[in-house]
Amino acid sequence: MQRKLSTRFRAVIFMLSLAMVAVLYFPIWKIELAAPQYPEGLTLKIAANGLTGDVDIVNGLNHYIGMQTLHTEDFIEFKVLPFIIGGLALLGFVVAVMNNRKLYYAWVALFLLVAIVSMVDFYRWEYNYGHNLNPEAPIRVPGMAYQPPLLGYKQLLNFGAYSIPDIGGWIFIGVGAILVLLSFKFKKGFFLIGGLILGLQSCSSGPAPIKYGQDACDFCKMGFSDKRFGAEIVTKKGKVFKYDDVHCLLAAVKAGGKEIGGIYLLDFTDGQWIKAEESRLLHSTSFHSPMGSDIAAFADSVKMKSFNGESLTWKELYR
């Protein structure tokens, strides 16, 4: 193995180091909160040197449920992270100048270590703030924790919390992906990154269980009570919107504003989720669905034979 790096290789390293400098000037992560009382949503942005966004409003909400308030000065991470990211960028420039392959691999290993430790620390931070609650808080729900998701979507009481990298985070991830590709000589690197992408896709959000007595329909705001009916929209970002009737689901679709990744219906007979396009639908006034659509979904026509009514396809209903 050659100890020296090609000129093109060094140029790429130099550009990646510049990208790492850019990470210092953009938010790295963001947590978006959505609830009926905040139609425009709330956003908490996490940068290398502090918190921005709707911090004061989030702190006000945290007070009511017993969570600690968030202040940049309370986190040692915001004091050291700019130096860590700046140090990684500086080391990249050193690698490009020194032209040493072993030094390059050491840089990559250090980069990956920082990424892993940062995610573990972020999870620890979220767990601490979501579980260590003030027992004298105005709102107390026994057994309830408010830990935001590390990545993806999670329902927290009437708030939907969505956690995702921001601009700086995507730059950091992009730099890491390219470093891995370079380290494993393109062919092996593509296999590794492809496997990572498939793994992330396999963990993507699908339909979520309905909590009867707790959840409310995202359209009509009625509580869920009938386990035979229910529908969900899962957005491309992984957010889940729940509906107590096909009527509410179709109204929400018509209203727009969601990048739909999938639509799911509850099987009338066993309560299992079915992809809407694969379902068999039956309309009958004897069903008495919560909002009057009187449409039930079935996984197959065999289950539907026990009931009388007008057979429909999802395509006919969705048009």
Side-chain angles (χ1 to χ4, degrees), residues 307-318:
F307 305 91
N308 296 318
E310 178 190 0
S311 178
L312 299 167
T313 65
W314 175 248
K315 187 176 181 179
E316 292 171 335
L317 194 65
Y318 188 65

Side-chain angles (χ1 to χ4, degrees), residues 171-219:
I171 294 174
F172 192 92
I173 292 170
V175 170
I178 295 172
L179 288 178
V180 171
L181 287 175
L182 294 175
S183 299
F184 287 85
K185 297 181 180 179
F186 291 108
K187 185 176 180 180
K188 292 181 180 179
F190 276 120
F191 278 121
L192 185 62
I193 297 301
L196 177 60
I197 293 173
L198 289 175
L200 290 174
Q201 289 178 340
S202 66
C203 296
S204 61
S205 299
I210 293 174
K211 299 176 183 178
Y212 294 91
Q214 298 182 37
D215 288 341
C217 174
D218 282 303
F219 186 79

Side-chain angles (χ1 to χ4, degrees), residues 32-207:
E32 298 177 345
L33 301 171
Q37 63 267 42
Y38 293 99
E40 296 184 359
L42 301 173
T43 302
L44 182 67
K45 290 180 176 282
I46 304 170
N49 61 348
L51 300 168
T52 59
D54 301 307
V55 181
D56 291 338
I57 299 176
V58 171
N59 280 338
L61 294 170
N62 286 351
H63 165 74
Y64 286 105
I65 57 177
M67 292 179 67
Q68 301 175 52
T69 55
L70 303 170
H71 304 283
T72 295
E73 56 270 20
D74 294 337
F75 295 88
I76 190 173
E77 290 87 344
F78 294 134
K79 295 180 175 67
V80 301
L81 193 55
F83 293 99
I84 292 175
I85 294 175
L88 284 174
L90 180 61
L91 183 56
F93 291 125
V94 171
V95 170
V97 172
M98 295 295 292
N99 193 15
N100 185 287
R101 189 174 292 271
K102 287 186 177 180
L103 185 59
Y104 167 77
Y105 286 127
W107 180 47
V108 174
L110 182 60
F111 182 96
L112 296 177
L113 178 63
V114 168
I116 293 171
V117 171
S118 296
M119 292 306 292
V120 171
D121 182 67
F122 185 37
Y123 177 85
R124 179 196 61 80
W125 173 81
E126 288 187 319
Y127 184 91
N128 178 55
Y129 272 77
H131 287 80
N132 296 335
L133 307 176
N134 183 354
E136 299 181 358
I139 299 175
R140 297 185 297 275
V141 181
M144 183 67 184
Y146 303 97
Q147 180 181 356
L150 184 66
L151 179 66
Y153 178 80
K154 186 177 182 180
Q155 189 72 31
L156 301 171
L157 292 181
N158 65 326
F159 276 87
Y162 183 68
S163 177
I164 191 174
D166 209 325
I167 296 174
W170 287 120
I171 294 174
F172 192 92
I173 292 170
V175 170
I178 295 172
L179 288 178
V180 171
L181 287 175
L182 294 175
S183 299
F184 287 85
K185 297 181 180 179
F186 291 108
K187 185 176 180 180
K188 292 181 180 179
F190 276 120
F191 278 121
L192 185 62
I193 297 301
L196 177 60
I197 293 173
L198 289 175
L200 290 174
Q201 289 178 340
S202 66
C203 296
S204 61
S205 299

Side-chain angles (χ1 to χ4, degrees), residues 217-233:
C217 174
D218 282 303
F219 186 79
C220 70
K221 309 307 177 185
M222 296 290 289
F224 283 87
S225 58
D226 196 330
K227 296 184 179 181
R228 302 173 303 167
F229 301 95
E232 290 187 355
I233 291 175

